[in-house]
């Protein structure tokens, strides 16, 4: 079953680059060009806090995406603002760490 909200997020964000959404423990993880940028819980997108997201999303609500989460995240709702999405994802990508290699 395709989750409509996930597809909407993918469609809106994919103009900035490769978006992958993976199911994880009742929610979904959102990756941009291989880096984890946020979570989808229910029909809400939560983006990690980075200097770029803190600056560009300063008016957004900060919440924990799920019970037991250790990270406050930005609740994102500006899906129609393509320029914001492009600047946001490019900035976050530069600031987030590279994916850790799996130990053999």
């Amino acid at each position: 079953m395709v989750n409509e909200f996930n597809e909407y997020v993918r469609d809106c964000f994919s103009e900035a680059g490769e978006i992958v959404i993976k199911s994880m423990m009742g929610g979904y993880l959102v990756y941009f060009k291989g880096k984890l940028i946020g979570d989808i819980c229910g029909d809400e997108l939560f983006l990690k806090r980075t200097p770029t997201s803190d600056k560009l999303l300063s008016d957004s609500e900060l919440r924990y995406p799920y019970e037991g989460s250790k990270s406050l995240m930005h609740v994102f709702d500006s899906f129609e603002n393509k320029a914001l999405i492009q600047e946001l994802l490019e900035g976050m990508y530069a600031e987030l760490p590279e994916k850790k290699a799996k130990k053999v």
Side-chain angles (χ1 to χ4, degrees):
M1 182 178 131
V2 174
N3 180 305
E4 287 182 27
F5 184 72
N6 291 8
E7 290 302 312
Y8 179 65
V9 170
R10 186 187 336 274
D11 289 346
C12 291
F13 278 37
S14 64
E15 288 184 28
E18 178 193 14
I19 296 292
V20 174
I21 300 174
K22 296 181 180 179
S23 178
M24 179 64 97
M25 300 185 314
Y28 298 89
L29 301 178
V30 182
Y31 294 86
F32 176 65
K33 297 186 203 175
K35 290 186 180 182
L36 179 63
I37 61 165
D39 299 343
I40 295 176
C41 298
D43 284 344
E44 290 185 301
L45 173 61
F46 295 85
L47 295 177
K48 288 185 165 216
R49 295 187 69 193
T50 69
T52 295
S53 66
D54 282 347
K55 179 181 82 170
L56 295 178
L57 302 177
S58 62
D59 293 338
S60 73
E61 183 180 355
L62 289 173
R63 286 202 329 244
Y64 294 99
Y66 53 89
E67 190 174 325
S69 173
K70 296 178 182 164
S71 302
L72 272 174
M73 299 174 84
H74 292 282
V75 178
F76 186 81
D77 61 4
S78 300
F79 293 101
E80 291 77 32
N81 190 336
K82 302 294 184 196
L84 170 67
I85 290 170
Q86 186 77 36
E87 184 179 356
L88 177 66
L89 294 185
E90 287 176 3
M92 289 179 70
Y93 183 82
E95 295 160 351
L96 289 167
E98 291 293 329
K99 189 175 180 181
K100 293 178 184 173
K102 293 183 179 180
K103 293 182 180 180
V104 179

